[in-house]
Amino acid sequence: MDVKEKLALNRVRNDEESHINIDQEKCRECSLRACLFVCPAALYEKNAETGEITVEFSGCLECGTCLIACPRGALKWRYPGGRFGVQYRYG
Ligand code: SF4
Ligand code: SF4
């Protein structure tokens, strides 16, 4: 079983409100765009029209990598509220 197959077995109970907030002003001045490359679930995207960075928080693995990798402190990140978030099957 490869990593993708293992990840597909995880369960996520989605909160209505995102646990990740992005400061678009800081992103506009960012040339690194690390969030687009480091997320193991590839949840970050750059909107082709507006240039804004978006995150599909419902698939978050709660690893915290994006928070550490962002060089401009543009992310506000917290764990999803009680009963919500990812449930791992393979650690
Ligand atoms: S790395 Fe941080 S500042 Fe740069 S685009 Fe991503 S979230 Fe914005
Ligand atoms: S915490 Fe991990 S899985 Fe969630 S958005 Fe950040 S890098 Fe992606």
Side-chain angles (χ1 to χ4, degrees):
M1 187 181 285
D2 65 19
V3 172
K4 275 189 178 175
E5 288 171 323
K6 287 181 179 177
L7 286 174
L9 295 176
N10 294 333
R11 280 195 192 157
V12 179
R13 184 176 286 185
N14 293 323
D15 202 346
E16 289 178 8
E17 187 183 333
S18 177
H19 62 287
I20 305 170
N21 290 303
I22 304 171
D23 184 335
Q24 298 294 338
E25 281 199 24
K26 289 182 178 173
C27 292
R28 271 191 278 278
E29 298 166 2
C30 176
S31 55
L32 189 59
R33 301 283 163 105
C35 56
L36 300 178
F37 307 102
V38 300
C39 175
L43 300 178
Y44 283 86
E45 287 184 357
K46 181 184 170 190
N47 185 297
E49 289 177 14
T50 66
E52 290 201 341
I53 300 293
T54 59
V55 60
E56 182 50 58
F57 72 92
S58 61
C60 182
L61 301 171
E62 300 173 28
C63 66
T65 305
C66 54
L67 184 63
I68 301 238
C70 175
R72 303 192 67 84
L75 300 177
K76 279 192 182 159
W77 194 103
R78 62 173 173 79
Y79 284 105
R83 304 191 343 265
F84 297 110
V86 67
Q87 290 181 336
Y88 283 100
R89 292 288 181 272
Y90 282 89

